[in-house]
Amino acid sequence: MSKDSTAVAVAGAWAGQDSEEDPALIRRVLGVRLRRLREASGISGDAAGRVIRASHSKISRLEAGRVIFRAADVDDLLTAYGVCDADVRDEYRQLVERANGTGRWQAGPDLTAARPDTYLALEEAAALIRCYAPSLLPDLMWTPSYAHTVFSIADRQPAADIQRRIELLARRQRLLTRADPPRAWFVIEEAALRRPLGGAEIWQGQMDHLAELAERPNITVQVLPDHIGGPAISGTPFTMLRFAASELSDIAHYLHLAGPQFLDKPAELDRFNAAWDRLCVCAHPPERTMQLLDTLRTTRSTGDPSL
């Protein structure tokens, strides 16, 4: 089995799916392979776009695995890249079929009517997840009550829509406690811990849940002191995903008012890694997290007005 084929096979296993694969991962691997073929043949992105009657940006999205692959387009690209071997071309056709399949994150009627979400599949398949969210806790750590409070404040959606979002979030959060969990690393602002969203009872439940997660061997939690000013380092919440297979590059995912963005170019990742490194250096070491949480919960229970 080739290295590329091994990476594809491993992709399904990461997500704990056995026979069921995550098409989003297959698209990533297929995109990597096509990019390597293009670069080896000395063909530019613009020229490759013309081969399939599309733009350079379409080639970029294909090579990043962010769009559905058309079998005819892949056939034309293989021809342009000088791939003539019938078995190799047939392997690519099979990859296209698998990449365009429906994975576990195909939203059903109980959630939304949207198409499969690439980020959700990639998040579940990651070997390492690093999260920072200024002013709030990262959503993978939210309790249902805390999530309800945040969604109600932020979006003012109908109750049924909020409940669907909470259910989807709960499905995502299972990856932290499954049998083969990824490593997860969270940097949390001290100010976010002190902010009692939803009232004392919801806050207490959230702090207890956070403490339980922080004790898990696959989870690292650091607290950023108030005086550091985390948003000065990064005012945007972001998540960085790393995968076990070398075929899949890291991904930075962040949210802003215009919607989510995926970044995987080296220069882009360098900026996020630099911000992450600075956050981790400025935050308390992980060994102090449980002590900080215990102190915060104890002080809050005594009714200290300074908190």
Side-chain angles (χ1 to χ4, degrees):
M1 181 180 290
S2 69
K3 183 179 180 182
D4 289 322
S5 299
T6 301
V8 175
V10 170
W14 286 341
Q17 292 177 300
D18 298 325
S19 62
E20 183 185 3
E21 295 175 316
D22 275 324
L25 288 176
I26 309 302
R27 289 195 293 272
R28 291 276 295 173
V29 174
L30 180 53
V32 168
R33 294 186 65 176
L34 289 173
R35 184 181 72 237
R36 287 180 174 177
L37 288 174
R38 178 179 61 77
E39 292 174 346
S41 65
I43 295 177
S44 68
D46 287 331
R50 288 194 291 272
V51 168
I52 61 172
R53 299 155 298 282
S55 64
H56 183 190
S57 63
K58 174 66 177 293
I59 293 296
S60 296
R61 293 194 298 273
L62 282 173
E63 292 180 297
R66 296 175 187 165
V67 294
I68 296 298
F69 288 80
R70 294 180 63 248
D73 288 345
V74 174
D75 276 341
D76 289 344
L77 289 173
L78 291 176
T79 299
Y81 300 160
V83 178
C84 302
D85 186 279
D87 290 338
V88 174
R89 294 178 71 98
D90 186 62
E91 180 184 358
Y92 274 90
R93 292 189 188 100
Q94 292 180 33
L95 280 176
V96 170
E97 292 179 5
R98 293 160 65 187
N100 293 340
T102 298
R104 66 161 60 191
W105 286 108
Q106 170 68 55
D110 59 325
L111 293 172
T112 69
R115 62 176 178 79
D117 190 308
T118 299
Y119 174 74
L120 298 181
L122 292 172
E123 178 185 63
E124 182 161 311
L128 171 64
I129 301 172
R130 292 175 288 170
C131 300
Y132 169 67
S135 303
L136 288 173
L137 303 181
D139 59 1
L140 284 177
M141 312 186 88
W142 293 356
T143 63
S145 297
Y146 188 93
H148 188 278
T149 300
V150 174
F151 291 151
S152 298
I153 294 173
D155 299 326
R156 299 185 182 278
Q157 295 179 330
D161 291 341
I162 290 176
Q163 184 57 36
R164 284 193 289 270
R165 294 185 66 184
I166 293 172
E167 291 170 2
L168 178 58
L169 177 60
R171 290 178 64 192
R172 289 176 53 208
Q173 291 171 335
R174 291 173 194 162
L175 66 87
L176 295 178
T177 56
R178 70 191 185 198
D180 58 338
R183 291 171 53 213
W185 192 347
F186 302 97
V187 174
I188 300 172
E189 288 189 6
E190 187 175 352
L193 294 176
R194 296 176 181 275
R195 186 172 295 112
L197 290 177
E201 184 176 351
I202 291 176
W203 179 89
Q204 184 64 51
Q206 178 63 66
M207 293 302 102
D208 291 344
H209 179 63
L210 177 57
E212 292 173 1
L213 290 176
E215 290 184 318
R216 296 188 64 86
N218 62 305
I219 296 177
T220 299
V221 179
Q222 289 185 256
V223 177
L224 193 68
D226 286 339
H227 69 274
I228 296 299
I233 300 174
S234 174
T236 301
F238 67 89
T239 297
M240 299 190 71
L241 304 178
R242 178 163 294 169
F243 305 94
S246 59
E247 292 302 311
L248 303 177
S249 63
D250 288 1
I251 295 175
H253 175 264
Y254 71 98
L255 296 170
H256 53 72
L257 291 178
Q261 294 289 320
F262 294 86
L263 302 174
D264 60 359
K265 294 180 180 178
E268 298 167 337
L269 293 173
D270 286 347
R271 289 195 291 272
F272 279 92
N273 278 314
W276 177 262
D277 290 345
R278 188 177 174 198
L279 288 167
C280 292
V281 168
C282 292
H284 293 297
E287 295 77 16
R288 286 201 59 193
T289 297
M290 291 306 300
Q291 176 189 353
L292 292 167
L293 291 176
D294 289 342
T295 299
L296 185 60
R297 288 185 292 175
T298 300
T299 307
R300 173 76 68 177
S301 65
T302 64
D304 189 328
S306 66
L307 298 176

